[in-house]
Each structure stands twice: as C-alpha cells, then as structure tokens.
Amino acid sequence: QRLCERVAERMEVSPHDLVAQGGRIHVRGAAERGMTFEAACALMPGPEIRATGSRAPNPDDVIFRLFGAHGVEVEVDTETGEVRVLRIVCSHDIGRPINPKLVESQQHGGAVMGLGYGLYEEAEMDRKSGVLLTPDVHQYRVPTSLETPLIEARNVEREDAFYPYSAKPVGEAPLVGVMPAVRNAIMHALGVGIDALPITPARILEALAAQRAAARTAVAKPGGARPAAEQ
C-alpha cells in the first residue's frame, strides 16, 4: 500500500487503480504504465518501509501451544568424559511456513543454542567476591562450527484455522528440546542420569565414578549380585 501510494503520485493516478504483479506495480489494464518494485522502493523517503496493522484478540476458549520433538545421537569417551554430538534431528508442528528457509535456519540456530546450554555454557562465580569468572567467550564456552553436528529439520506442516495463513511461530521452541535430548542420549549411552547443566566432562566422570562405587558396594554385600552392565 505504501509503495502504491508513492507510485500513484508519480503516475498521477489513484492508488486503487494500481496492481502489483510480476515484480512490477502498474496501472490496471495498462501494464506498460508502471515500474519495477526496485524503482518503486527508490521513491520512498527513507531506507525502510514501515506500516502498522491489527487483528482480533485471541479467543478465550482456545489455548495456543507449540509442539515439537528432538532426537540426538552422541558418542561419549568414558576415559575423558568428553561428549561428541553427531546428529540432531528436530521436528515441529509449524503449520504453513511463509519462509521455509528461514524456518529451517531458526531451528538450526536454536539447536546450536540448546547444545551450548546443555554441554558448554556455564557462568562460574567467585564464591567469596561474587565476581563472574567467565565474563567473555574466551572463558564462557559456546559451541563453534567445530562442535556443531549435522542438524536435520523434519517439520510437520498442516492447515490450522486459528493462525493467520496457518503460519505458527518458530522462536524458542527449537531450543527447548535439545538439552533434555542430549541428557537422555548420554544416559542411554552410560546408564547414568545427570541432572545438572552443562553436562561437562568432569560431571560425567563423577557420575561414572559414583556408578562404579555403587556397583562395588552391591557386590560386597552378602548375596549381592553383579550388575548386568558388568556381567
């Protein structure tokens, strides 16, 4: 509408007489009287096109939720405690994507953020002074391209009458499921559950040591049987 208003001034016609089609804005019924979108944007007084809009409020009898699932494949070095994430698969109910590439990119970014929260990022404080010991990315570890695994987005698309154009938000949802998926994958590999984040090599080694100590205690008890994992 803003572009048509500018073009209408230049063409000396009413904005309602203009049609936006095929990358051009032209007079209805006279395609030769018009200009490209690029030329129309050049008529704008500033670098941005701004407009406002409104819609009806959300209905009171409907609760809006987002649904998604994550799967993670990991390798764990039991001697060093190092975790290597090989693959992340994420799937979300996204309705109809207006910009499919942007939706996929959002999920990739959320997966990397979740990976950082789950394995690397930790704010360490000096207990005596209260000073933050990890104030920058040199000490506060975040995932880089070296830690980023293969990320696959396998989304579910469907119509949904409660969302404009059936387009659902894909904001924080791709981030939330990665951390528990990483945790559960590690538990599946080692048989121990770690409920503190980030799951650092030190925490993994501590959990393995506690697991071995518990196994030795069970064997030492009268009538104690060796755990299945050690048989």
Side-chain angles (χ1 to χ4, degrees), residues 20 36 38 44 49 70 86-87 94 116 131 137-138 150 162 164 167 175 180 182 210:
T36 64
E38 183 179 2
M44 300 300 294
I49 301 175
H70 288 80
L86 305 178
R87 184 166 65 125
I94 61 173
V131 174
V137 293
H138 182 67
L150 174 66
F162 287 104
L175 159 67
V182 170

Side-chain angles (χ1 to χ4, degrees), residues 2-216:
R2 292 298 180 91
L3 284 177
C4 286
E5 291 172 356
R6 289 292 176 176
V7 174
E9 294 177 3
R10 178 62 61 91
M11 305 296 295
E12 297 182 346
V13 296
S14 169
H16 300 291
D17 295 332
L18 295 177
V19 177
Q21 187 178 35
R24 289 172 49 83
I25 298 177
H26 62 82
V27 178
R28 191 185 310 274
E32 71 280 359
R33 294 188 59 195
M35 62 182 66
T36 64
F37 285 150
E38 183 179 2
C41 290
L43 299 176
M44 300 300 294
E48 297 180 354
I49 301 175
R50 296 188 180 186
T52 59
S54 62
R55 65 175 179 86
N58 291 340
D60 296 330
D61 58 341
V62 176
I63 298 177
F64 292 89
R65 302 187 188 277
L66 300 179
F67 298 92
H70 288 80
V72 176
E73 183 179 357
V74 302
E75 287 182 348
V76 185
D77 189 323
T78 56
E79 294 185 359
T80 65
E82 181 181 1
V83 177
R84 181 186 176 194
V85 179
L86 305 178
R87 184 166 65 125
I88 298 175
V89 179
C90 51
S91 178
H92 293 269
D93 176 11
I94 61 173
R96 293 297 182 192
I98 295 177
N99 188 328
K101 189 63 177 178
L102 186 60
V103 170
E104 183 178 0
S105 297
Q106 180 73 32
Q107 291 181 265
H108 283 213
V112 175
M113 289 179 64
L115 192 63
Y117 290 167
L119 294 177
Y120 305 109
E121 301 179 37
E122 186 171 22
E124 297 185 9
M125 307 291 294
D126 186 314
R127 293 179 178 272
K128 294 183 178 180
S129 65
V131 174
L132 180 65
L133 301 177
T134 53
D136 53 50
V137 293
H138 182 67
Q139 291 89 13
Y140 185 86
R141 292 191 61 200
V142 296
T144 68
S145 59
L146 298 177
E147 289 80 31
T148 301
L150 174 66
I151 302 173
E152 301 177 33
R154 303 181 180 181
N155 294 313
V156 177
E157 299 183 23
R158 64 186 181 89
E159 300 291 338
D160 194 316
F162 287 104
Y163 289 87
Y165 311 106
S166 295
K168 297 185 178 182
V170 188
E172 300 295 336
L175 159 67
V176 177
V178 176
M179 294 169 281
V182 170
R183 183 263 184 192
N184 289 342
I186 294 174
M187 181 174 68
H188 182 266
L190 302 180
V192 294
I194 302 174
D195 297 328
L197 295 179
I199 304 178
T200 60
R203 287 189 169 122
I204 288 179
L205 294 178
E206 290 173 1
L208 290 175
Q211 182 189 52
R212 289 192 292 268
R216 288 193 295 268

